[in-house]
Amino acid sequence: VPVFILAGLLVHCVFLVSIFDIYFSSPLVHGMTPQQTPLPPPAKRLVLFVADGLRADSLYELDSSGAPRAPYLRSILENNGSWGISHTRVPTESRPGHVALIAGFYEDVSAVAKGWKENPVEFDSVFNESKYTWSWGSPDILPMFAKGATGDHVYTFCYAAESEDFGAEDAAKLDRWVFDHVKSFFNSSRSNQTLFSALNEEKVVLFLHLLGIDTNGHAHRPNSREYQENIKQLDEGVKEIAALIDNFYGNDGKTAFILTSDHGMTDWGSHGAGHPSETLTPLIVWGAGVNYPQKVTSQFFEDNFLKEWKLENLKRLDVNQADIAPLMASLIGVPFPLNSVGALPLEYLNSSALFKAESMFTNAVQILEQFKVKMNQKKETTLSFLFTPFKPLSASEQINFLRKIRLYIQQQKYDEAVSLCKTLINLALEGLSYYHTYDRLFLGLSIAGGFVGWTTYVILVIIKAHTNLTKTVPSNKKKSTLFYGFAAAGMIIAFFLLIQMCPWTYYIYCLLPVPVWYAVVKEISVIQDLATNVLSLHIGQSIGFLLVCILGIEILVFSFFYRSALTVGLLVFAGWPAITQLWIQAKTKAMIWTLLCVLLAIFPLMPVVGREPNIPLVIAAGLLTLLISFFSLASLCKSENKYRDNEDLKVYFYQMFSVALSTYIVSSTHNSLKIKQGLPVMNQIISWMTLVSSPVLLLLSPTFLFERLFSILLSLMSTYLLLSTGYEALFPLALFGLMFVWINMEQEALQHYGLSLKPKLAVFNFTCAVDITQFRQLHLDDVRRSFFFVFFIVTAFFGTGNIASINSFDPASVYCFLTVFSPFMMGGLLLLKVAIPFVLVSCAFEAVQVTTQLSSKSLFLIVLVISDIMALHFFFLVKDYGSWLDIGTSISHYVLVMSLTIFMMVMNGLAQLLTTQRLGLFRRTKHHS
């Protein structure tokens, strides 16, 4: 068994990691030469304001009285500068947003896992190309651009990380810190000669990173008074800084200003996914070299924002977020960042047609450089007869393009030159993507081959070891020839990869199917037996059974996209006793089962958690848990169980006290945050203590089936309440009720099929090891059992929200534990919240296995097959194109299903631990005769 499990884990880890290699490897290439426009730039210096988490509509819209939220910025876009919307890409997090703004490329999805702290990949940026850059703001953002810079010309001034507190009374102080430090910096430069002369150089960048709006948005939501007040303060600060800088340089008209944001924010205060409120950010540019506002009579955009914002008559110039990097580079005349994929937005520039054409040409050559490097890399590692180049940009085509553009510029046909440059940029970007995804089909087919082989092998193992369908004893004669055949195939594949100098991971992906299929073909006798057995069955029945299986799995796959599919599934489950005539046998149990299925079916129809906190519901859930536990305790005390020691019941009182305490802590913490007093230290200490002590209390409880499960519920509820902000607090209760009835129903089903005698559930003890000889063989009904388990696991996952989307996480759910921004700690607590319903289902499944006398391995293998078939679906549904929301969702679906399998192995072990282990602290040993 251990060998099989290890092989399984290994295979699944390879499948899981493969998608990052196949779909999301880093697009960056190195070794290009810097490209710079040969004409003098319009500006000597650039001031970049990034208002972290500022939505486009929040800045541009008018307030209820019809006055602008940001009067100074409004007057700029009406009288002095150009404006538009900058469209960001997913993941809408601070790090990728800043990389797109300042380095001009979209970080690949895998960089999100690297966090905000470091440069996972070395990249060039506008800051690096500048003569000097001074930056002020958050310690999460500034260091990464300073670290990648060559030489020491990027200076950073950061506040302490502890300042980013969601529970603080006023996060706008983070912005005031920046504005005050910039003012004192300019004042001190008057008495510091080296600094003064450095500030008067050309190619200088000043970067102000303003985090207040983001922090206020997380803490109070973007429609709150705090968020909107913060925008007013930002506006005043920008006005002061702009005036200060103009004065410092004697109004020389050589300063360009840009105000934008790295990402927006949803109405419920989160970001990360691809909702328009997260991807639409403001862009206002003014000063040296920038176009004045352009009056227009009508302009067409798909959204209706212009009318809402009363800006129909001012030309709106939309850009992609990465286009801002080349805009900054051309304004101050530095080389375009080497890895930039942005196209220069010419309409923002107020300069000669020659300057525009030359800048555009530089932009095209800079992107073409990356294409050439990428093509040469691919060419070197592919056999010449197998290499298919990107046709539209062959070497001759490239020369042709560049010659034509040069000619147009010499003939002063600037418009033609510009449009040809744009065509070249688009082709080069297409070519970059073509070479980046060059090996995809080949790797995808290898992995799919491995997947199908592995699933087939698991099915064969189930049939061979856990059913009585096979009879024959295998012969050993053919095995050696088989082995040599497969070994030879492996050698050929390896040799082929070796010639092409492929990365080592390719060897794993391409060689994995060989041993897997060898294992399948070795069991050929089992397949023959199976074929004869199936043919002797009733054809209609076999096809019917297959169809039901396929339908079930498709419903599961569907539920990842539409949560309402779970509701449909649960309603079908509600009718299960009626279909199988179990309800004749156990009327009350069947009634309760149907009722609870319908109750649980309501949850997937509710809106995703975290949109609107509703603390009274959390308190209600706490009180309901206490009420249920009083009734359960009462019935426990009444029931006769000669093996039970009444001292054991003490544990329940501690656990109930813990639930009551959690309920109180949640309400008092949220009240305290509401009146802006931060998180009370006492509450924080109690929250962490509850988190640590609840699993300990659980392990002190008796191991009788009912008592231990009840204890698990209380223990998990006390932690779950602390992490809840709304109706989801009721979810574990409904789920646990259904799980408990499920254990009882499975008992009835066993008797219904006449498979075994019914053990008494009341005195059933988890620790009494089930006698191995009592394990029975698998029956068709066990496939349904396993399917129920997978379905309940998926319900535990999506019942209260879509875990697959980053933005459905609400930081408010961790406020009982911490309010200072700490991505890994918050992420850990949110994962714990996701795992709690999971643990409930796993423990119930453990109980079902034990009480229906099945070895956990056999049921687990069926679960493995179901989840692998689902994973294969998602493998082919992974996208790396289209809207970024689709991309993010498709990856997380695949990762979810793959980790589900690995996770279920862990959960299986955890459930065994939670149900069978017991700590003996205050137990006297008693000897039962």
Side-chain angles (χ1 to χ4, degrees), residues 193 672 743 869:
Q193 196 46 52
S672 165
I743 298 169
I869 296 172

Side-chain angles (χ1 to χ4, degrees), residues 371 374-375 378 386-392 427-440:
F371 168 79
K374 193 88 172 170
M375 182 178 80
K378 233 341 123 239
L386 287 174
F387 182 69
T388 39
F390 182 64
K391 295 281 189 310
L427 281 175
L429 290 174
E430 257 174 63
L432 267 174
S433 138
Y434 169 81
Y435 285 120
H436 187 56
T437 59
Y438 192 78
D439 298 328
R440 182 167 300 172

Side-chain angles (χ1 to χ4, degrees), residues 358-415:
E358 282 288 0
S359 300
M360 209 64 200
F361 183 57
T362 310
N363 195 178
V365 172
Q366 170 256 328
I367 293 179
L368 189 63
E369 278 284 310
Q370 293 179 67
F371 168 79
K372 286 181 186 166
V373 171
K374 193 88 172 170
M375 182 178 80
N376 290 333
Q377 280 180 2
K378 233 341 123 239
K379 211 169 183 172
E380 280 164 17
T381 59
T382 312
L383 296 175
S384 51
F385 66 90
L386 287 174
F387 182 69
T388 39
F390 182 64
K391 295 281 189 310
L393 273 186
S394 56
S396 57
E397 280 293 314
Q398 290 176 31
I399 297 166
N400 211 355
F401 263 113
L402 298 175
R403 218 189 55 241
K404 259 189 189 163
I405 297 171
R406 266 275 147 252
L407 193 66
Y408 279 144
I409 292 179
Q410 279 161 8
Q411 296 170 348
Q412 299 186 351
K413 296 183 178 168
Y414 299 126
D415 291 349

Side-chain angles (χ1 to χ4, degrees), residues 647-925:
E647 277 195 18
D648 292 342
L649 297 182
K650 277 186 199 167
V651 181
Y652 296 117
F653 289 109
Y654 293 125
Q655 287 188 305
M656 283 160 66
F657 174 67
S658 175
V659 170
L661 195 60
S662 295
T663 313
Y664 166 73
I665 296 285
V666 169
S667 79
S668 93
T669 301
H670 284 272
N671 285 339
S672 165
L673 289 173
K674 209 177 227 161
I675 55 174
K676 303 253 169 75
Q677 291 189 345
L679 166 62
V681 182
M682 198 61 217
N683 288 13
Q684 193 173 9
I685 294 171
I686 294 175
S687 296
W688 284 104
M689 280 174 64
T690 306
L691 182 66
V692 177
S693 66
S694 53
V696 179
L697 282 174
L698 188 167
L699 292 175
L700 292 174
S701 66
T703 52
F704 293 106
L705 181 110
F706 173 68
E707 284 134 76
R708 180 45 76 95
L709 286 176
F710 171 51
S711 176
I712 290 174
L713 172 74
L714 285 181
S715 198
L716 294 177
M717 268 312 277
S718 55
T719 310
Y720 198 80
L721 286 170
L722 292 172
L723 290 167
S724 298
T725 57
Y727 73 85
E728 81 269 29
L730 297 162
F731 180 68
L733 282 177
L735 188 65
F736 178 77
L738 187 61
M739 291 300 96
F740 193 69
V741 182
W742 181 38
I743 298 169
N744 284 293
M745 290 295 283
E746 288 299 358
Q747 281 300 300
E748 301 294 340
L750 263 190
Q751 263 188 310
H752 180 72
Y753 288 106
L755 287 175
S756 81
L757 298 168
K758 181 173 167 187
K760 271 203 169 135
L761 280 185
V763 292
F764 190 87
N765 196 329
F766 277 119
T767 41
C768 304
V770 181
D771 182 6
I772 292 276
T773 52
Q774 286 185 346
F775 283 150
R776 57 185 179 78
Q777 294 286 41
L778 285 174
H779 180 263
L780 266 189
D781 197 42
D782 295 320
V783 176
R784 175 199 54 75
R785 243 173 226 126
S786 305
F787 177 74
F788 269 28
F789 173 57
V790 179
F791 191 91
F792 287 137
I793 281 279
V794 174
T795 308
F797 229 19
F798 290 114
T800 58
N802 182 353
I803 307 302
S805 156
I806 308 178
N807 80 356
S808 67
F809 283 152
D810 176 18
S813 41
V814 299
Y815 285 171
C816 287
F817 293 92
L818 76 167
T819 55
V820 176
F821 179 66
S822 152
F824 296 106
M825 188 71 86
M826 288 184 167
L829 286 167
L830 288 165
L831 280 179
L832 175 70
K833 181 178 174 180
V834 172
I836 284 176
F838 241 5
V839 178
L840 281 178
V841 178
S842 300
C843 291
F845 188 56
E846 181 66 24
V848 167
Q849 284 173 3
V850 179
T851 54
T852 54
Q853 295 166 346
L854 272 176
S855 72
S856 58
K857 188 185 163 201
S858 52
L859 273 193
F860 185 73
L861 289 177
I862 304 179
V863 170
L864 200 63
V865 171
I866 296 174
S867 57
D868 276 345
I869 296 172
M870 282 166 64
L872 192 59
H873 273 80
F874 289 116
F875 181 76
F876 288 110
L877 291 171
V878 171
K879 287 185 181 155
D880 69 334
Y881 59 87
S883 99
W884 272 70
L885 180 60
D886 301 349
I887 297 175
T889 321
S890 71
I891 306 166
S892 44
H893 283 168
Y894 179 70
V895 172
L896 267 181
V897 177
M898 285 312 293
S899 29
L900 205 67
T901 324
I902 299 169
F903 202 62
M904 278 189 223
M905 294 188 185
V906 177
M907 279 295 162
N908 208 15
L910 182 68
Q912 271 173 354
L913 173 89
L914 290 182
T915 50
T916 56
Q917 296 305 314
R918 185 166 186 199
L919 301 171
L921 287 191
F922 42 69
R923 279 186 303 154
R924 290 195 308 277
T925 45

Side-chain angles (χ1 to χ4, degrees), residues 335-350:
F336 287 33
L338 292 176
N339 294 105
S340 162
V341 293
L344 178 64
L346 288 178
E347 292 175 293
Y348 276 90
L349 293 179
N350 177 18

Side-chain angles (χ1 to χ4, degrees), residues 568-577 593-594 597 738 787-788 791-792:
V568 176
L570 284 166
L571 293 176
V572 174
F573 281 9
W576 167 58
W593 163 267
T594 306
C597 277
L738 187 61
F787 177 74
F788 269 28
F791 191 91
F792 287 137

